[in-house]
Amino acid sequence: MEQPSPSSHESIRCLKDPNFFNLMTKKRVNDNTHTINEQIATEDLVKHFYEKFIREHQLDPDLPVLNKNHHIKFCSKGIRHLPSSFECLDSSRPWICYWILHSLYLLDVDFSEEMIDGVTEFLNSCQNETGGFGGGPGQISHLATTYAAINALCTLNSERALKIIKIKPLLNWMKSLIEENGAMRMHTDGEEDVRGTYCAITIAKLCNLEQLDPNLFDKVGDWVLSCQTYEGGFGATPFNEAHGGYSFCALAALKLLGKEHLCNIQRLTYWLVNKQMRFEGGFQGRTNKLVDCCYSFWQAGMFPIIHSVLMMDSEYLQDNQNWLFDRQSLQEYILICCQADYGGIIDKPGKNRDFYHTCYGLSGLSISQYFFDNILNICSNEESLLSKTHPLFNICFEGALTAINYFKDHTAL
């Protein structure tokens, strides 16, 4: 395994920079807007966490650390049993499987045979004979839960899991969701947005559906391109506001289609780099919105894709040997401000832990730790290094490769 670079916690901003807290939004005496007041309140909470860290670091110079064991315990418990309060997520059960499994993979947990069989059996019960996966047994097929189910099955990295996927019905169902203009509906008669496009394309790539229908996405790329806004990011549909989650979906979809060079990459990059908050260190999802740990992946995950486009320019390669965001500041926000006391990752200080933010917070942390062979770990121990995540699928590289190779031979079955 590659060896990490020396710990850089001697350069953590709140420890080294006496003017660090001056980065906070300047308070005004009168007429603050609701947006400014929310930003000030959030920064005050984050400031409390950074001040607490400074005090604790004086007693324990090894801080910060990734509380791996706590996170593993939190996720492992969730894959086996959920309290009744999760009833509201009954239609998102494949998502819960994916969020937990991917988090455990990032935390370097090996899946037992019992877990592989149990998750596979449950997800199979969510699959419909007409193609696709619903949010639970007996529910209608939906592109988002189909994406989550297939990502979960790929994360298990087992042919036993992959063989349950009904390829031909899946293809026929997905084709029925494509509109004349290239947009895709999330389910039969459902809404259309760029999430559906991304979900469908990643499913097709992992399951090799284009081998059965090479023209499957002929019109889709142009529709995705039409979702880029004047700001540079992408909206859910044409003429909507630029948003971090939709922007990732759009850019990753274009990359998988080989059309990423057709969007305005300079404008997207400019918009994206300005979404990292200068005080908090994490990312906001939209202009004038609050920091949110889930955007540690949705926003930071776009930088490897952008790098793959810009690296065609030799001048860029000479000047940039890093992702185009502050990797250290993002790690500080996740590790210092977003780790719940007993495991799990939170949106921001004051919020509760959940599997969604745990998955995408850890995914963003993984992105920030690796730039090819250049490893940045602000913690003093190697145990705080996560496994690498695939920036296009957000699953393990091994699971993606296993699925792609498996369906090269089994797509026609």
Side-chain angles (χ1 to χ4, degrees):
M1 180 180 176
E2 304 143 322
Q3 293 301 309
S5 59
S7 168
S8 55
H9 54 309
E10 67 274 5
S11 61
I12 288 176
R13 295 175 304 155
C14 62
L15 295 177
K16 73 168 185 175
D17 184 358
N19 297 313
F20 170 67
F21 292 111
N22 290 336
L23 295 174
M24 296 176 65
T25 299
K26 302 300 181 185
K27 296 187 178 183
R28 296 186 296 179
V29 177
N30 298 311
D31 69 10
N32 279 352
T33 65
H34 176 71
T35 299
I36 292 175
N37 286 333
E38 277 196 324
Q39 177 63 29
I40 290 171
T42 298
E43 289 180 1
D44 284 341
L45 285 169
V46 171
K47 177 175 182 283
H48 170 75
F49 272 69
Y50 280 128
E51 288 176 333
K52 180 172 177 279
F53 167 74
I54 292 172
R55 294 192 300 270
E56 291 176 345
H57 184 268
Q58 293 172 345
L59 301 174
D60 184 358
D62 289 333
L63 295 176
V65 296
L66 177 68
N67 299 321
K68 256 187 177 179
N69 290 335
H70 288 325
H71 300 319
I72 291 171
K73 185 176 180 180
F74 170 62
C75 292
S76 298
K77 184 177 180 181
I79 201 71
R80 294 182 176 89
H81 173 74
L82 292 173
S84 59
S85 60
F86 277 78
E87 184 178 2
C88 62
L89 292 175
D90 179 63
S91 60
S92 300
R93 292 162 74 182
W95 277 112
I96 296 172
C97 289
Y98 163 59
W99 295 331
I100 292 176
L101 290 175
H102 185 55
S103 297
L104 290 173
Y105 156 74
L106 291 170
L107 294 163
D108 203 27
V109 172
D110 292 326
F111 302 131
S112 67
E113 296 299 311
E114 178 185 6
M115 181 182 289
I116 292 172
D117 289 339
V119 172
T120 300
E121 181 180 356
F122 169 72
L123 291 175
N124 194 30
S125 73
C126 299
Q127 187 172 202
N128 291 304
E129 291 297 325
T130 53
F133 294 75
Q139 298 183 26
I140 66 167
S141 295
H142 192 287
L143 272 175
T145 50
T146 301
Y147 162 85
I150 288 176
N151 268 13
L153 293 168
C154 290
T155 301
L156 293 173
N157 196 23
S158 166
E159 289 192 2
R160 296 202 312 279
L162 297 174
K163 71 186 295 185
I164 72 165
I165 301 172
K166 297 178 173 64
I167 291 298
K168 287 186 178 179
L170 174 64
L171 173 62
N172 291 332
W173 170 69
M174 279 179 39
K175 287 168 68 173
S176 74
L177 302 177
I178 302 177
E179 298 289 294
E180 271 299 312
N181 63 357
M184 294 200 67
R185 297 195 177 274
M186 296 299 293
H187 58 87
T188 302
D189 297 325
E191 75 278 19
E192 59 183 48
D193 63 51
V194 79
R195 292 175 306 155
T197 304
Y198 167 71
C199 290
I201 292 171
T202 60
I203 291 165
K205 295 298 181 181
L206 290 170
C207 297
N208 202 23
L209 298 184
E210 289 167 299
Q211 179 174 297
L212 294 175
D213 188 347
N215 302 316
L216 181 59
F217 297 117
D218 277 358
K219 297 180 180 179
V220 169
D222 288 340
W223 185 83
V224 174
L225 288 167
S226 73
C227 295
Q228 189 167 22
T229 78
Y230 72 93
E231 289 185 90
F234 289 77
T237 56
F239 311 113
N240 269 331
E241 180 184 12
H243 181 286
Y246 294 121
S247 294
F248 173 84
C249 288
L251 182 62
L254 290 171
K255 176 67 177 178
L256 288 166
L257 292 175
K259 296 186 175 183
E260 69 279 10
H261 60 286
L262 297 178
C263 74
N264 191 325
I265 206 72
Q266 287 78 20
R267 185 178 292 177
L268 172 62
T269 304
Y270 181 80
W271 174 81
L272 184 56
V273 297
N274 282 285
K275 298 286 95 50
Q276 187 169 21
M277 310 298 278
R278 64 175 188 163
F279 172 64
E280 300 93 309
F283 284 86
Q284 61 184 177
R286 291 177 285 161
T287 302
N288 289 330
K289 294 295 182 179
L290 302 177
V291 68
D292 185 333
C293 195
C294 72
Y295 293 108
S296 301
F297 176 76
W298 296 123
Q299 301 284 36
M302 281 188 272
F303 286 98
I305 306 173
I306 288 173
H307 182 83
S308 73
V309 180
L310 297 181
M311 68 187 296
M312 305 304 292
D313 183 340
S314 59
E315 184 177 338
Y316 167 80
L317 283 179
Q318 291 173 6
D319 296 338
N320 294 281
Q321 297 302 314
N322 213 328
W323 306 135
L324 294 176
F325 73 95
D326 189 334
R327 295 161 65 195
Q328 176 153 329
S329 294
L330 180 60
Q331 291 186 31
E332 291 171 15
Y333 177 67
I334 297 169
L335 293 167
I336 297 174
C337 300
C338 294
Q339 293 194 90
D341 289 339
Y342 298 103
I345 303 294
I346 61 176
D347 161 355
K348 60 178 68 67
K351 300 292 185 177
N352 294 321
R353 64 183 181 174
D354 58 66
F355 298 119
Y356 170 82
H357 285 93
T358 299
C359 173
Y360 292 108
L362 292 177
S363 298
L365 182 59
S366 174
I367 292 287
S368 71
Q369 288 179 337
Y370 298 97
F371 177 81
F372 301 105
D373 292 335
N374 173 5
I375 298 176
L376 174 64
N377 178 16
I378 70 168
C379 304
S380 60
N381 63 334
E382 294 183 26
E383 284 297 307
S384 293
L385 274 177
L386 296 169
S387 299
K388 289 182 179 180
T389 190
H390 196 299
L392 292 173
F393 303 112
N394 200 26
I395 60 175
C396 53
F397 279 88
E398 300 88 346
L401 186 61
T402 296
I404 290 168
N405 289 333
Y406 176 81
F407 287 112
K408 278 181 180 177
D409 300 326
H410 295 83
T411 296
L413 295 180

